[in-house]
Amino acid sequence: MFRAASLPVRALPAVAAVFLWKNDKERRRAAAPPRSWRKEVHPYYNLNVTVLRARNIKGVDMLSEADCYVQLRLPTASPMPFRTKVVYNSSDPEWNETFNYRIHSAVKNILELTLYDRDLVLDDKLSSVVFDIGNIKPGQTTKRVFKLNPKDKEVLEVEFNVEESPDPPSEIITNGVLVAHPCVCVGGKVKCDENKENGDYILKLAVPGSYEKQISAPMKQSQTEADGRFVFHADKEMSPHLDVCLLKTLKVAQNDLGPELDKRTLFLGKGSVPMSSLPIGQEIDIDLPLSKHYVVNMSMTKEESSQELDIRLGFALSQGERDFLEKRKEIIAQSLKDALDLSTAPDQVPVVAVLGSGGGARAMTSFYGSLKGLQDLKLLDSITYLSGVSGSTWCMSTLYEDPDWSSTDFTEPITRARRSMTSSKSGAFSAERLKQCSQQLMALERDGHKVNFSDLWGLVLEYFLHQKDNPAKLSDQQICVSRGQNPYPIYAGVNVRVNISGGDFAEWCEFTPHEVGFRKYGAFIRTEDFGSEFFMGHLIHRRKEPKICFLQGVWGSAFAANLDEIWARASGTGIRWLNSLTDVIRVIDDCRKFHFHDPTRLQTRLVMPGGIISDIFQDFFKSRFTAGELYNFTRGLYLYKDYMGVREFVAWKGNHLDAFPNLLTPMEENLYLVDGGFSINSPFPLVLQSQRDVDIILSFNYSWQDPFEVLHLTSNYCKERGIAFPSISVTEADEKHPKECYMFMDDTNPKAPIVLHFPLVNDTFRAYKEPGVFRETDEEKVFGDFVLKNKDSPYRTKNFTYELLDFNRLVEMNRYNVLNNGQMITSAFKAALERKKHKMTHRGLNKKTKKVKKPGSQTKTSA
C-alpha cells in the first residue's frame, strides 16, 4: 500500500486558489466590472450517435484496402474524443457502434466525424465531417449519408437520435455569444504512510477536460505538508472524475558489456473518483484502490464556483471608459467653442477618433507630427479616442507617461523622441544590456508568464525608446484619463491561429488602461489581470501585470509574420501548393430536406486534408514562432447556440473559421497576439464598434503600400459584418499620386462616420513651410525637397535610427499636412455636429411620442 506523493512546485500556489471563490469574495466584489450578462435556464438532451458504415473508401496504401475507423469529437459534451473499432482491409467498412452524449441546449454543439486510415507509423486522415447537432429534431431518429468526396462515391452513414434528458434544466450565464457553465474545483492531499516501502514510484493524477490537465509526481516519504497537495478546476456539466494512476520506474542493464542502465516503466494500477460523489465544502478521506496490492489514501474537498465572474461578459463599454466619456464631453464642448466658435451642449458633441497606422519608426515619428498639427489647430482637446497599430502605439505609450500630455506643449515629447531616434541603438545589443534582458526574461518566466520572442523584442524596443529600463504598465495610464484630460487610448493587436494566415482569420483585441478584451466575443478582463490565468470566467492564478514594453513587443511584432505571408508580400503571391481554408472546405449541407431553413443552424461541411507532406510544409511555412503566446482568458467558455447571429461573426461563410465554433478562441489554450497590421494596418475595427458611436475618424496612414489599402480593407470588413461605413471611391490618378487629405461621407446614412484620410505624402510641403507661406531661402527649400519612398530612403520600415534632418523633416511634414487641411477638418466637425444635433433631436421626439389606442379605433401616434 502506498500513501505518498509530491506535486510540482507550480501546483502549490494554486492550492490557495482552491478556495478562492469561498474566501476571497471581498476582492472580487471590489474588482467586479459592471454586470452585463444574463442568466438563462436550458434543458439537457441525450444524444445517441450510431456510426453505421462507410462505402467506396479509398485508402492511401496502394497495396491493400483501407483500415478504417471513425473518430467522434464533441468538445461541448465530452473532453475526450470517442472512436470506433478498426475494420481492416475493407473499402466498405461496417461498425454499427453507438456513442452516447449528454448535451446542453444553451451551447452550439458541433460534432466532428473524422475518417482515418490506420497506419503503423501515423494514421492518415481521409476526411472530416462537421455537423451541427441542432439540425436534428428532438424525439426523432434521423439517418444521414455524408458524401466524403465530391468527385467519388465515398460516403459515411450515421444515425442520430436526440431525446430530452430526465436531468433537470440548469442555469447558465451568457452574453449572447459566450456561455459560462458552473465550474467545480477539487483540491486535496495525498497522505504519506511512513511505514510503507519506498521506491521509484510515480503517481499521476488527471481530470479530463480540467484546466490543470495532468499532474505527474515522483513519490517520496520525506515530503512536507504542502508536497502532497493537488488542485483541479473542471466544468461541472462534463461530470468530471479524478483519475489516479501508479507507475514504477525500473532500471535494467542495457547489455552485459557495460554498466549503463535503461529505465523501464511498470504499470501498477489505476482508480477513479467521480467528482459528483464528493460533497460540497466538506473535506473527506478516501481510500482509493488502484489494484489488488495498491491503495492510495487522499483527503479531498470540492467547491463550486461563485456566480461572480472575474471576466466581464458583455458588449457595453467598461465603467472606466464610460466615466471618462462623461468628463471628456465637457472638455470637448469647451474646445469646440474656443477653436471653431461652435457652441453645443456636452451631450451633443461629436465623438472623434484619431487613428495611427503601422509603419515602424516612420509611423511613430509621423504620429508625433500629426498630433502636433492637431494641437496647433487647437483641436486636440476635441478628440475623444486615440488609437494605433504597431509603430503608432510606440508614440502613444510614450506620450501617456505624462498625465497631462495633450494640454502641454509638444516640444518636450518631440525632443525626447528626437533624442532616441537619432541616437545609436548599438547599446541594445551590448553584453550588459543582453544580460539585463536575460535576467528580466528569466524573472518573467519564473513568475509563470509564457516567454517568447515578442518579449525579447519588447525589451529591445524599450531600449530604442528610452535607453533605460521603463517600469511603466498600461494600467498606470488610468490616471491619464481620470479627469477626461486626454483622449482615451486604445491600443490594437490581433489574435491569430498558428497555421492560418492573418488575411484568412484575425480577431481584433483592444488594450485600454481599464480593460483588455475581444469585443467580438464580449469578453474583457481588467488590465491589471492581463497575463493571469483564467478558466471558465474565473481567475485561477493571478500574475503580475507585465511592463508595457512587453505589450509594445506584441503591438509592434513586425517579426511575427509567418513565412507564407513574408513570401506573399515579397512576391505578390502566396505559396500556391499550400491549401487555404477555401481549398479544403466544401459545403455538403442537406438540412433543408429535413426541415425549414433556420439561420441559427450551421451548414454541414466537409474538410479535405492535404496529405502528410502538405501538412508538414504548412506547419513549417505558416508557423508563428514569434507570435506573443499568452494565457487565454476566454478558455473554458463556450459559444452560445445563436452566436452566429452576432454581426462580428462571419459564420455565414461556410469556409470561414467563425463557422467552426470548436476551433474558435474560447476552445484554445493560448492566445497568439501579433501586430494588428497583419489584418488591417489601422485600428478601424476598434473604433467602429456601435458602443463607441464615433462620428468622425481622422485616419493617418503612414504605410508605404497602397495609400488607400486600409480603407478598402475596412470597407470589406464592414460589408461582411453589416457595419455602416462610407463608400471609398478614388480615381486612378489619386491612387498613383495621392493628395494630403480626402474626406469620405455617406449623406444617405448618418450612422456611417465621416472619414478624413491622410496618406503619407510630401506634396505642397515642398513649396510651403507653413500653409500659404512659400519657402524662400535655399535652406528652407532644401528642407522641404525630399523623397519619402525609394530604396535608399531613410524612412524604411525596419530603420530605427534617423539623422537629425530626416527626423525633423518627417515631423514637420506631417504637422504641415494637418494644418494645410484645417479647413477640411473644420468642415467635417461642423457636418458631424449638425448630424449629431439632428440625431439627438430625433431621439428626443421619439421619447416624447407615444402610442394611444382608443376602443374601436386604429392605433395612432400623438406627441
Side-chain angles (χ1 to χ4, degrees):
M1 183 182 295
F2 290 83
R3 304 180 185 274
S6 64
L7 299 182
V9 175
R10 183 184 178 279
L12 298 182
V15 174
V18 177
F19 307 104
L20 173 67
W21 301 317
K22 185 175 181 180
N23 300 327
D24 203 14
K25 293 181 179 178
E26 292 302 321
R27 179 200 61 77
R28 287 187 288 102
R29 285 198 191 102
R35 181 178 296 181
S36 47
W37 42 263
R38 62 182 184 267
K39 296 179 182 178
E40 293 181 358
V41 176
H42 293 266
Y44 294 101
Y45 288 91
N46 290 329
L47 167 67
N48 301 317
V49 182
T50 303
V51 182
L52 299 172
R53 63 189 65 84
R55 291 285 182 262
N56 308 309
I57 302 301
K58 296 179 180 179
V60 297
D61 192 342
M62 302 296 294
L63 301 178
S64 67
E65 301 290 348
D67 304 324
C68 292
Y69 68 90
V70 177
Q71 177 181 278
L72 299 85
R73 181 172 178 265
L74 184 57
T76 52
S78 172
M80 306 299 292
F82 297 147
R83 54 178 287 183
T84 66
K85 64 180 181 292
V86 180
V87 177
Y88 290 95
N89 197 26
S90 174
S91 59
D92 301 311
E94 295 209 19
W95 295 282
N96 290 312
E97 293 186 50
T98 299
F99 302 90
N100 304 311
Y101 298 93
R102 187 186 72 158
I103 60 177
H104 198 276
S105 59
V107 303
K108 197 65 170 173
N109 294 291
I110 302 296
L111 177 66
E112 300 171 21
L113 298 159
T114 305
L115 183 67
Y116 283 92
D117 185 358
R118 187 79 172 89
D119 191 87
L120 291 176
V121 180
L122 183 66
D123 295 351
D124 297 299
K125 183 188 294 186
L126 301 180
S127 57
S128 183
V129 174
V130 181
F131 181 72
D132 188 348
I133 298 301
N135 290 315
I136 304 299
K137 287 186 176 182
Q140 296 182 0
T141 298
T142 304
K143 179 182 175 182
R144 291 294 171 90
V145 179
F146 299 111
K147 297 180 180 179
L148 300 182
N149 193 321
K151 299 179 181 178
D152 296 323
K153 296 181 180 180
E154 297 181 340
V155 296
L156 176 67
E157 298 180 18
V158 184
E159 192 173 78
F160 299 92
N161 176 264
V162 176
E163 300 288 347
E164 190 162 347
S165 171
D167 296 338
S170 70
E171 186 176 75
I172 54 97
I173 293 173
T174 183
N175 62 358
V177 170
L178 294 178
V179 172
H181 279 166
C183 179
V184 292
C185 183
V186 171
K189 181 176 66 174
V190 180
K191 296 183 178 180
C192 177
D193 189 340
E194 298 290 346
N195 298 319
K196 301 303 176 183
E197 61 180 299
N198 197 2
D200 293 329
Y201 294 92
I202 299 174
L203 192 68
K204 289 188 176 181
L205 301 101
V207 175
S210 69
Y211 181 80
E212 292 77 9
K213 294 184 180 178
Q214 176 177 277
I215 296 174
S216 179
M219 299 182 65
K220 61 182 182 180
Q221 293 180 337
S222 58
Q223 61 186 26
T224 65
E225 179 69 16
D227 281 335
R229 292 192 178 275
F230 61 87
V231 60
F232 290 96
H233 298 81
D235 184 352
K236 179 184 176 183
E237 304 300 335
M238 295 283 189
S239 300
H241 49 86
L242 173 68
D243 294 330
V244 182
C245 177
L246 183 64
L247 306 172
K248 184 176 183 178
T249 302
L250 302 177
K251 295 180 180 180
V252 297
Q254 290 182 342
N255 51 57
D256 297 332
L257 302 177
E260 294 186 5
L261 298 179
D262 189 18
K263 290 185 177 181
R264 303 285 177 85
T265 301
L266 180 65
F267 173 78
L268 300 180
K270 65 178 181 178
S272 182
V273 179
M275 288 193 181
S276 58
S277 66
L278 302 176
I280 296 175
Q282 180 182 345
E283 184 175 359
I284 63 171
D285 290 327
I286 295 177
D287 288 325
L288 179 63
L290 302 182
S291 68
K292 184 185 296 185
H293 305 288
Y294 299 99
V295 175
V296 171
N297 180 254
M298 301 179 293
S299 62
M300 298 178 64
T301 304
K302 181 175 76 172
E303 296 286 346
E304 285 195 7
S305 64
S306 163
Q307 291 188 334
E308 293 292 337
L309 301 178
D310 295 304
I311 184 173
R312 181 169 73 88
L313 294 182
F315 300 91
L317 302 178
S318 69
Q319 187 61 53
E321 185 173 344
R322 292 204 297 266
D323 292 342
F324 161 83
L325 291 174
E326 289 302 313
K327 297 170 184 176
R328 188 65 176 173
K329 289 175 183 179
E330 301 283 347
I331 296 174
I332 293 174
Q334 187 61 46
S335 175
L336 292 176
K337 183 176 181 180
D338 296 341
L340 304 178
D341 197 25
L342 297 175
S343 297
T344 181
D347 287 339
Q348 294 182 347
V349 298
V351 177
V352 183
V354 171
L355 310 186
S357 79
R362 180 182 64 249
M364 181 189 73
T365 305
S366 297
F367 211 16
Y368 277 109
S370 300
L371 294 174
K372 172 63 173 169
L374 290 173
Q375 188 181 63
D376 290 349
L377 288 175
K378 298 182 179 179
L379 289 176
L380 202 51
D381 281 342
S382 302
I383 307 302
T384 308
Y385 293 107
L386 187 62
S387 186
V389 162
S390 192
S392 291
T393 66
W394 307 340
C395 169
M396 290 171 56
S397 57
T398 305
L399 284 174
Y400 280 88
E401 291 176 10
D402 178 1
D404 298 292
W405 69 266
S406 65
S407 59
T408 57
D409 184 58
F410 254 48
T411 302
E412 180 57 30
I414 290 177
T415 299
R416 289 197 302 268
R418 182 188 296 114
R419 189 183 305 121
S420 65
M421 279 303 302
T422 56
S423 63
S424 171
K425 306 299 185 295
S426 60
F429 307 101
S430 66
E432 182 181 358
R433 177 61 183 175
L434 290 176
K435 181 180 179 181
Q436 293 174 357
C437 290
S438 298
Q439 291 173 344
Q440 291 193 55
L441 293 176
M442 290 172 63
L444 202 65
E445 190 170 31
R446 282 195 301 269
D447 192 43
H449 289 279
K450 297 175 180 290
V451 176
N452 48 62
F453 183 83
S454 68
D455 297 310
L456 176 59
W457 173 233
L459 289 172
V460 172
L461 278 175
E462 180 183 58
Y463 186 88
F464 285 0
L465 299 177
H466 299 278
Q467 285 77 51
K468 62 179 181 179
D469 182 67
N470 178 29
K473 300 186 293 292
L474 180 56
S475 63
D476 295 340
Q477 296 181 12
Q478 292 177 13
I479 194 173
C480 299
V481 294
S482 59
R483 307 188 310 274
Q485 71 270 39
N486 299 303
Y488 196 77
I490 307 173
Y491 302 88
V494 292
N495 181 50
V496 296
R497 297 299 297 273
V498 294
N499 58 351
I500 299 176
S501 73
D504 285 337
F505 181 78
E507 298 174 327
W508 285 84
C509 181
E510 62 180 60
F511 297 76
T512 73
H514 295 100
E515 287 186 342
V516 176
F518 296 100
R519 202 154 291 277
K520 170 181 179 177
Y521 294 104
F524 300 89
I525 58 172
R526 298 188 318 146
T527 302
E528 296 91 332
D529 291 334
F530 184 69
S532 296
E533 299 179 54
F534 288 80
F535 185 60
M536 300 184 69
H538 296 280
L539 181 60
I540 301 298
H541 192 129
R542 182 187 297 281
R543 303 195 183 280
K544 293 179 182 178
E545 180 186 356
K547 296 195 304 180
I548 200 169
C549 72
F550 295 117
L551 299 183
Q552 291 169 337
V554 171
W555 301 333
S557 54
F559 298 103
N562 62 52
L563 298 180
D564 184 34
E565 287 170 342
I566 293 175
W567 181 283
R569 296 271 179 106
S571 63
T573 181
I575 302 173
R576 296 186 180 278
W577 43 266
L578 292 181
N579 292 325
S580 68
L581 288 176
T582 305
D583 296 330
V584 301
I585 297 172
R586 298 285 184 272
V587 175
I588 56 172
D589 196 28
D590 60 352
C591 297
R592 296 188 185 185
K593 297 179 182 178
F594 298 91
H595 56 76
F596 62 90
H597 179 64
D598 186 342
T600 66
R601 302 284 185 255
L602 287 169
Q603 294 176 311
T604 304
R605 281 140 296 149
L606 175 69
V607 182
M608 302 292 294
I612 183 172
I613 301 299
S614 177
D615 289 343
I616 291 173
F617 279 107
Q618 286 199 56
D619 289 341
F620 175 73
F621 278 94
K622 292 191 173 185
S623 64
R624 294 183 180 274
F625 52 89
T626 56
E629 185 178 345
L630 298 142
Y631 293 108
N632 179 10
F633 54 85
T634 68
R635 182 179 169 188
L637 302 174
Y638 301 98
L639 272 298
Y640 187 63
K641 60 186 180 66
D642 299 333
Y643 83 94
M644 58 185 296
V646 176
R647 71 180 189 182
E648 286 293 329
F649 291 86
V650 195
W652 52 270
K653 282 187 176 182
N655 56 10
H656 193 278
L657 202 65
D658 282 352
F660 293 80
N662 292 352
L663 301 178
L664 286 179
T665 298
M667 306 299 286
E668 294 293 306
E669 288 189 20
N670 301 310
L671 302 176
Y672 294 92
L673 295 174
V674 297
D675 191 324
F678 292 113
S679 178
I680 301 174
N681 199 29
S682 191
F684 277 93
L686 299 186
V687 300
L688 285 170
Q689 302 297 330
S690 59
Q691 294 82 5
R692 293 198 163 111
D693 197 21
V694 172
D695 300 294
I696 303 174
I697 296 176
L698 300 182
S699 164
F700 293 100
N701 180 60
Y702 308 123
S703 172
W704 272 12
Q705 277 75 37
D706 179 350
F708 303 99
E709 181 183 36
V710 296
L711 296 182
H712 295 313
L713 290 175
T714 302
S715 181
N716 291 335
Y717 178 93
C718 292
K719 285 178 182 177
E720 289 182 340
R721 293 160 178 80
I723 301 173
F725 195 73
S727 175
I728 306 301
S729 178
V730 291
T731 65
E732 186 177 348
D734 285 330
E735 293 278 2
K736 293 181 178 179
H737 303 286
K739 303 183 184 69
E740 294 165 352
C741 182
Y742 294 83
M743 183 161 69
F744 302 95
M745 180 176 173
D746 190 340
D747 294 324
T748 63
N749 186 0
K751 292 184 179 179
I754 301 170
V755 177
L756 290 178
H757 187 63
F758 292 80
L760 185 67
V761 296
N762 184 11
D763 189 11
T764 61
F765 182 69
R766 294 176 181 272
Y768 295 88
K769 62 180 180 181
E770 294 287 342
V773 181
F774 278 103
R775 298 187 181 276
E776 297 178 351
T777 67
D778 291 341
E779 183 180 359
E780 290 174 347
K781 292 178 181 178
V782 170
F783 184 83
D785 188 16
F786 67 97
V787 178
L788 273 170
K789 307 172 186 177
N790 59 44
K791 64 179 182 178
D792 298 321
S793 172
Y795 305 119
R796 297 184 303 277
T797 302
K798 294 185 180 180
N799 183 20
F800 285 86
T801 305
Y802 292 169
E803 296 294 333
L804 181 62
L805 176 63
D806 297 326
F807 178 88
N808 291 337
R809 278 173 166 172
L810 195 57
V811 171
E812 284 301 311
M813 184 198 74
N814 283 280
R815 168 186 167 273
Y816 167 86
N817 286 350
V818 172
L819 293 176
N820 198 44
N821 292 277
Q823 191 167 356
M824 189 179 293
I825 297 173
T826 300
S827 65
F829 270 83
K830 291 180 178 179
L833 190 57
E834 288 301 316
R835 277 183 169 190
K836 198 82 170 182
K837 288 181 178 179
H838 177 75
K839 189 188 299 185
M840 297 296 289
T841 302
H842 184 68
R843 287 177 182 173
L845 287 175
N846 284 342
K847 287 181 179 180
K848 293 180 180 179
T849 303
K850 61 181 180 179
K851 292 183 178 181
V852 178
K853 188 172 183 179
K854 297 180 180 180
S857 66
Q858 294 181 345
T859 301
K860 296 183 178 180
T861 301
S862 63

